[in-house]
Amino acid sequence: FQELLVEIIKRPKFDEKAEVDEEGVKADYNDMIEFIDARRIVDIVYLLTSRSLSHISMLQEEYYQEQGVELYTVLESITDHHIKDGLVSFLSVASDYPRYCAYELYKSMESGTDEGSLTRIITTRADKDLKVIKTLYGEMFDKSLYEAINDNTRGDYRRTLLALL
């Protein structure tokens, strides 16, 4: 698990708007099949953390098209608890970051309020894609993000978060 975290932190910044090399995706798909079959978890981690999120998203699609199963499902079956959670979260970010954020917001308010997570997501996404996240949150959880924050926070903290929405 520590290796995954270190590799994520060391990841270079990628131009996510750059065109993804489809041949590179196919080569990575073949490598991924080999790594999964041999349960080479370290190689899987290095492959995933050394590619752009756009590339990983295409790799996941290629894997699904060829294997008929989601890549994260296969990785869940061959990894232990902590590395599994880390890889699945990483793949979720690559495939649909706003949906991932909506889910994390829900988790941050599900049983008690994790103010750190709630604050981090709201403040870092406020100028970017918070509108999309709010819409997804409502669709996913049948309650608006505004209502959830209003129900789970108090005082100036509540007013500040609601103002950012």
Side-chain angles (χ1 to χ4, degrees), residues 60 63-74:
Q60 289 182 88
Y63 193 91
Y64 182 77
Q65 293 299 321
E66 295 296 325
Q67 298 295 315
V69 64
E70 297 286 350
L71 178 58
Y72 76 87
T73 303
V74 175

Side-chain angles (χ1 to χ4, degrees), residues 40-79:
R40 290 171 40 196
I41 307 305
V42 171
D43 290 327
I44 292 169
V45 167
Y46 288 143
L47 188 149
L48 291 175
T49 57
S50 64
R51 304 297 188 265
S52 70
L53 296 178
S54 304
H55 185 98
I56 295 166
S57 182
M58 286 184 69
L59 174 61
Q60 289 182 88
E61 183 61 30
E62 177 76 13
Y63 193 91
Y64 182 77
Q65 293 299 321
E66 295 296 325
Q67 298 295 315
V69 64
E70 297 286 350
L71 178 58
Y72 76 87
T73 303
V74 175
L75 295 179
E76 283 180 322
S77 71
I78 66 168
T79 56

Side-chain angles (χ1 to χ4, degrees), residues 82-148:
H82 295 295
I83 192 81
K84 172 175 52 176
D85 291 346
L87 285 172
V88 169
S89 292
F90 189 72
L91 292 174
S92 296
V93 167
S95 63
D96 191 344
Y97 189 67
R99 184 171 300 278
Y100 172 79
C101 288
Y103 178 72
E104 289 298 310
L105 285 167
Y106 174 78
K107 280 182 19 184
S108 75
M109 295 180 282
E110 184 178 28
S111 55
T113 303
D114 176 354
E115 290 184 358
S117 295
L118 181 58
T119 302
R120 178 183 45 79
I121 295 168
I122 296 295
T123 58
T124 60
R125 306 319 301 171
D127 290 338
K128 296 180 177 126
D129 50 10
L130 191 55
K131 188 174 187 174
V132 173
I133 293 167
K134 288 185 334 188
T135 300
L136 286 169
Y137 189 96
E139 291 171 1
M140 291 168 66
F141 304 110
D142 294 325
K143 183 178 197 175
S144 75
L145 182 55
Y146 185 96
E147 291 173 285

